[in-house]
Amino acid sequence: MSMTIKEIARITGVSVATVSNIINHKGRVGEDTRQRVEKAIREYHYTPNSVAKNLKTKTSRSIGVIAEDMTVFVMPEIIDGITECCEENDYQILLVNLRLYKKYSDTYYKTNHHREQVKAEIQKLISMQVDGIIYVAAHERINDVIPRNLSVPVVMAYSFSNRSEVPSVVVNDQGGAEKVTEYLLSKGHEKIGVIAGKKESFHTLARLEGYQKALLRNHIFYDPDYVVYGDWDRQSGYDAMNHLMSNKPTAIFAMNDVMAGGVYDWLKEHDMVPGKDVAVVGYDDQVMSAYENPPLTTMGLPLRDIGYSAGEQMIGMLSDEGIHVGSGQIDVDCKLCERESVAELSKI
Amino acid sequence: MSMTIKEIARITGVSVATVSNIINHKGRVGEDTRQRVEKAIREYHYTPNSVAKNLKTKTSRSIGVIAEDMTVFVMPEIIDGITECCEENDYQILLVNLRLYKKYSDTYYKTNHHREQVKAEIQKLISMQVDGIIYVAAHERINDVIPRNLSVPVVMAYSFSNRSEVPSVVVNDQGGAEKVTEYLLSKGHEKIGVIAGKKESFHTLARLEGYQKALLRNHIFYDPDYVVYGDWDRQSGYDAMNHLMSNKPTAIFAMNDVMAGGVYDWLKEHDMVPGKDVAVVGYDDQVMSAYENPPLTTMGLPLRDIGYSAGEQMIGMLSDEGIHVGSGQIDVDCKLCERESVAELSKI
DNA sequence: TTGTAAGCGTTATCAT
DNA sequence: ATGATAACGCTTACAA
């Protein structure tokens, strides 16, 4: 069906070696033969068979991307970032969608059911001769699914790897929470209630540290009564408000947008308006946050940048031949999305 | 570095053919040799090189998926559906993210900038020996980016292909709108205002037909004054209400969730509550619709099913050797997500 | 039951 | 400047 290099060689009356050289711009070839061959290639719509090429060169210029679950909101942007980087560097992507949420609900990471699957998929990818593998987690944690002694480099995106040889690229949560707090402070708010996420979450921990750090730097006393833990869902944001408001905070920092939604609910129910009576800021910049009323000010997750950075790491490891780029962990900064849920304290 | 079939053969003292047979469960092999070889395979962690295999067999058991833009809300679910189907049938996915929205804003489909890119990506995929290609569009339209005379089968997801040889799988918009209308009717609402999408949109056309069809079947007079066109965004939903409400509809059917958000805005501004004073239903079932207050009843897009069905089509074409499965177009049914924005008319 | 060897479409080495 | 030819790791007749 489709042309081979051999046929092009026969048609143009040269050897396959010459055709190969012309295609790959190697060696010296006479201008006339080049013309002839290139013409034939165009005319017969010849496309090199990259499988054969890969077999010979033992490289595929493709990297395997393993996504824990495609449908988790962080994935599309992260993968988009990876593909952007790969496109710029002429790498192909082989996508594996583990569908972990679908299969094991959202607690898969506590079980071991998926470890064998990950191992098998990695083997498959390696057998397809990918040059490297990027593992994209659905949420941040210490992720030890990567087997040791793999023959290709691996980078972990959106989780902390437990292997020194696999770099992690994660969000700088501490910095993000610090910025949120500084921002609120700059608006005159000193009594900032925080609705944290689940206690054991890495996100929660880091963001709490950031909050305290900002307070400290501004010589504001840290009062534990201003911190209530939620479990990331809307109801818990609402519930947290019942406790928090007895201390009369002027601002609420919810550690994700959906809990901030619960804050909105509580406020409206008590005839207060977000941004007017109480400042509120969320985290994540999920799409819905822009649709809240009033639009929610929130700390945006640098999802695309994480993907892009993971791609860069990978390509660095691939080209610099084993020279590790950066240290073992890259923290990517969040970006504040200022909308309408925070006003100067003086105006309240 | 990694083992080859030849080494396993040498180690176990058999021929490569025998090893190959054992791996692929073909031919007859003595129980003893099988044991010996399988043991060696395990011990030395041998994994067949699938590139070599593909070269020989001229098939890769992989299908190329071209996504117009990863970050458009329909993509993740569609791709998830495709991967689910592929996983069940042991196919790999090669993902190409065109990033069309990012590159050409949202009007790329009117220009031709991306056609060459699509063509090039398809060539690349073919050269990688994919067995077939699924093209996933970011929104429905007549999509003529697929070149003719490709050497592999193609299926188009979420758009109408203009080639008889490439089947399309799309959402049954007419049926969806029909269901919405029937649902409202069943709740006693006969004066249903509709906020349509852009006039030229396929979604708009089909949904309008569905609306009229349901009306007709129930012998309700179709009054054009009950239809106002929006442009899919929130503000246009709000604006449409200014016109619509002069006719005193008891229910509003907005053709997407974000315009329904505009309806909510208008209602609240006029001291009416959605679902209580006026019934409202949206379309798409975007995540935010569940977070509206009250939660929005909406017609869910069968995104995952579209992906899965596209996968089935592909695999059908691949296995039944040219026998086309189904006709050229598969319409996938929407599913109503009943929430709290519609009440019986009698209760209003 | 097992082995031999050709060949998939390339690239790369070494001649010429 | 160009050509023969040997790999790359596998599958598959066909032979033994």
Side-chain angles (χ1 to χ4, degrees):
Chain A
M1 188 69 242
S2 65
M3 280 282 149
T4 72
I5 204 174
K6 211 181 276 178
E7 308 218 41
I8 295 292
R10 192 180 47 72
I11 289 165
T12 55
V14 298
S15 75
V16 291
T18 303
V19 177
S20 175
N21 279 334
I22 290 173
I23 292 167
N24 299 296
H25 309 100
K26 280 181 182 165
R28 322 237 134 273
V29 273
E31 194 47 33
D32 44 342
T33 38
R34 145 162 302 120
Q35 301 278 334
R36 226 171 50 251
V37 170
E38 281 175 346
K39 183 153 168 280
I41 287 177
R42 255 179 285 110
E43 261 169 21
Y44 293 91
H45 298 109
Y46 165 71
T47 322
N49 178 327
S50 42
V51 173
K53 178 173 185 163
N54 294 349
L55 176 60
K56 182 63 189 175
T57 60
K58 288 159 159 293
T59 166
S60 59
R61 269 205 107 67
S62 75
I63 78 159
V65 173
I66 301 182
E68 288 195 330
D69 196 306
M70 202 61 214
T71 60
V72 171
F73 83 98
V74 297
M75 279 297 160
E77 286 287 342
I78 295 181
I79 293 181
D80 196 61
I82 297 177
T83 53
E84 180 177 9
C85 181
C86 284
E87 188 183 324
E88 288 173 9
N89 293 276
D90 195 30
Y91 272 86
Q92 270 288 329
I93 281 188
L94 256 136
L95 178 72
V96 176
N97 178 7
L98 258 23
R99 308 187 68 251
L100 254 32
Y101 271 54
K102 293 281 153 41
K103 287 180 183 162
Y104 311 115
S105 82
D106 62 350
T107 55
Y108 60 84
Y109 56 92
K110 290 178 186 160
T111 77
N112 277 321
H113 298 312
H114 66 297
R115 306 182 73 95
E116 283 307 309
Q117 192 193 349
V118 172
K119 202 169 168 186
E121 292 298 348
I122 289 181
Q123 275 314 324
K124 225 189 272 182
L125 249 19
I126 290 179
S127 87
M128 299 180 91
Q129 304 294 105
V130 295
D131 299 333
I133 293 177
I134 299 179
Y135 185 97
V136 189
H139 72 271
E140 284 193 0
R141 62 191 191 278
I142 293 184
N143 200 321
D144 58 353
V145 287
I146 309 295
R148 58 187 76 241
N149 295 327
L150 257 21
S151 52
V152 299
V154 178
V155 359
M156 171 88 68
Y158 210 50
S159 266
F160 300 87
S161 96
N162 63 331
R163 305 221 173 292
S164 61
E165 72 273 22
V166 354
S168 334
V169 7
V170 294
V171 357
N172 179 359
D173 263 321
Q174 184 180 316
E178 220 176 313
K179 272 194 237 173
V180 168
T181 313
E182 291 280 8
Y183 173 72
L184 254 13
L185 255 18
S186 79
K187 294 290 187 182
H189 299 278
E190 301 201 341
K191 293 159 77 174
I192 305 171
V194 358
I195 305 179
K198 288 188 179 174
K199 263 201 167 106
E200 69 275 17
S201 159
F202 269 72
H203 295 293
T204 302
L205 259 44
R207 290 172 196 177
L208 227 33
E209 281 170 14
Y211 167 73
Q212 293 173 316
K213 212 167 153 189
L215 250 33
L216 187 66
R217 180 167 47 243
N218 288 272
H219 313 294
I220 313 257
F221 179 67
Y222 166 68
D223 181 353
D225 284 347
Y226 276 113
V227 177
V228 173
Y229 290 88
D231 59 8
W232 301 123
D233 73 17
R234 193 170 182 115
Q235 183 62 43
S236 75
Y238 178 94
D239 294 342
M241 285 296 277
N242 283 326
H243 296 85
L244 241 25
M245 289 306 282
S246 54
N247 293 316
K248 308 251 181 271
T250 63
I252 301 291
F253 165 28
M255 285 195 186
N256 76 358
D257 292 338
V258 352
M259 292 192 300
V263 173
Y264 271 46
D265 292 342
W266 193 96
L267 255 18
K268 285 174 190 168
E269 196 172 305
H270 291 73
D271 286 321
M272 301 175 86
V273 356
K276 209 165 167 309
D277 299 307
V278 175
V280 10
V281 8
Y283 213 110
D284 289 355
D285 188 27
Q286 282 206 248
V287 274
M288 34 140 334
S289 62
Y291 292 113
E292 295 282 5
N293 182 15
L296 177 69
T297 292
T298 183
M299 186 52 72
L301 255 21
L303 267 10
R304 147 184 318 283
D305 295 344
I306 285 179
Y308 193 92
S309 175
E312 280 183 324
Q313 283 299 309
M314 187 75 265
I315 286 167
M317 291 164 90
L318 255 22
S319 46
D320 299 21
E321 288 149 24
I323 292 160
H324 287 255
V325 205
S327 63
Q329 181 179 324
I330 294 98
D331 297 289
V332 187
D333 287 338
C334 298
K335 195 159 153 282
L336 186 73
C337 305
E338 235 180 309
R339 287 198 266 258
E340 294 160 38
S341 58
V342 177
E344 297 270 351
L345 180 58
S346 55
K347 297 191 180 149
I348 293 189
Chain B
M1 187 69 242
S2 65
M3 281 282 149
T4 72
I5 203 175
K6 210 182 276 177
E7 307 218 41
I8 295 292
R10 191 179 50 71
I11 289 165
T12 55
V14 299
S15 77
V16 291
T18 303
V19 178
S20 174
N21 279 333
I22 290 174
I23 292 167
N24 299 297
H25 309 99
K26 281 182 183 166
R28 324 236 134 275
V29 273
E31 194 47 32
D32 44 341
T33 38
R34 143 161 304 120
Q35 301 278 334
R36 231 179 37 256
V37 171
E38 280 174 347
K39 182 152 168 281
I41 287 177
R42 255 179 285 110
E43 261 170 20
Y44 293 91
H45 298 110
Y46 165 70
T47 321
N49 178 328
S50 43
V51 172
K53 178 173 186 165
N54 294 348
L55 177 59
K56 181 63 189 174
T57 60
K58 288 159 159 293
T59 166
S60 58
R61 268 203 109 66
S62 75
I63 77 158
V65 173
I66 302 182
E68 288 195 331
D69 195 306
M70 203 60 213
T71 60
V72 170
F73 83 99
V74 297
M75 279 298 161
E77 286 286 343
I78 295 180
I79 292 180
D80 196 60
I82 296 176
T83 53
E84 180 178 8
C85 181
C86 284
E87 187 183 324
E88 289 173 10
N89 293 276
D90 195 30
Y91 272 86
Q92 271 287 331
I93 281 187
L94 255 137
L95 178 73
V96 176
N97 179 7
L98 258 22
R99 309 187 68 251
L100 254 31
Y101 271 53
K102 293 280 154 39
K103 287 180 181 161
Y104 310 116
S105 83
D106 61 350
T107 55
Y108 60 87
Y109 55 92
K110 290 179 185 159
T111 76
N112 277 322
H113 298 313
H114 66 298
R115 307 182 73 95
E116 283 307 310
Q117 192 193 347
V118 172
K119 202 169 168 183
E121 293 298 345
I122 289 180
Q123 275 315 324
K124 225 190 270 181
L125 249 18
I126 290 179
S127 87
M128 299 180 91
Q129 304 295 104
V130 297
D131 299 335
I133 294 176
I134 298 179
Y135 185 97
V136 189
H139 72 272
E140 285 194 358
R141 61 192 193 278
I142 293 184
N143 201 320
D144 57 354
V145 286
I146 309 296
R148 59 187 75 242
N149 296 326
L150 256 22
S151 51
V152 299
V154 178
V155 357
M156 170 88 67
Y158 210 50
S159 265
F160 300 87
S161 95
N162 62 330
R163 304 220 174 293
S164 61
E165 72 273 20
V166 353
S168 333
V169 6
V170 293
V171 358
N172 179 0
D173 263 321
Q174 184 180 315
E178 220 176 313
K179 273 194 236 172
V180 168
T181 314
E182 291 279 8
Y183 172 72
L184 254 12
L185 256 16
S186 78
K187 294 289 188 183
H189 299 278
E190 301 202 340
K191 292 159 78 176
I192 305 171
V194 358
I195 305 180
K198 287 188 180 175
K199 264 204 167 106
E200 68 277 17
S201 158
F202 270 72
H203 296 292
T204 302
L205 260 42
R207 289 173 195 176
L208 227 33
E209 281 169 15
Y211 167 72
Q212 292 172 316
K213 211 166 153 189
L215 250 33
L216 187 65
R217 181 167 46 243
N218 289 272
H219 314 294
I220 313 258
F221 179 67
Y222 166 68
D223 181 353
D225 285 347
Y226 277 112
V227 177
V228 173
Y229 290 87
D231 60 10
W232 301 123
D233 73 16
R234 193 170 182 116
Q235 183 61 43
S236 75
Y238 179 94
D239 294 342
M241 285 296 277
N242 283 327
H243 295 85
L244 242 25
M245 289 307 281
S246 54
N247 294 315
K248 308 252 181 269
T250 63
I252 301 291
F253 165 27
M255 285 196 186
N256 75 358
D257 292 338
V258 352
M259 292 193 300
V263 173
Y264 271 47
D265 291 342
W266 193 95
L267 255 18
K268 286 173 189 167
E269 197 173 307
H270 292 73
D271 286 320
M272 302 175 86
V273 357
K276 209 163 167 309
D277 299 307
V278 175
V280 11
V281 8
Y283 213 109
D284 289 355
D285 189 27
Q286 282 208 246
V287 273
M288 35 141 332
S289 62
Y291 292 112
E292 295 282 5
N293 183 14
L296 176 69
T297 292
T298 183
M299 186 52 71
L301 255 21
L303 266 11
R304 147 185 315 283
D305 296 344
I306 285 178
Y308 193 91
S309 175
E312 280 183 322
Q313 284 299 308
M314 186 77 264
I315 286 167
M317 291 164 90
L318 254 24
S319 46
D320 299 22
E321 288 150 23
I323 291 162
H324 286 255
V325 204
S327 62
Q329 181 178 323
I330 293 98
D331 297 289
V332 187
D333 286 340
C334 299
K335 195 158 153 283
L336 186 73
C337 304
E338 236 179 307
R339 287 197 267 258
E340 296 159 39
S341 59
V342 176
E344 299 269 351
L345 181 56
S346 56
K347 298 192 180 149
I348 293 189

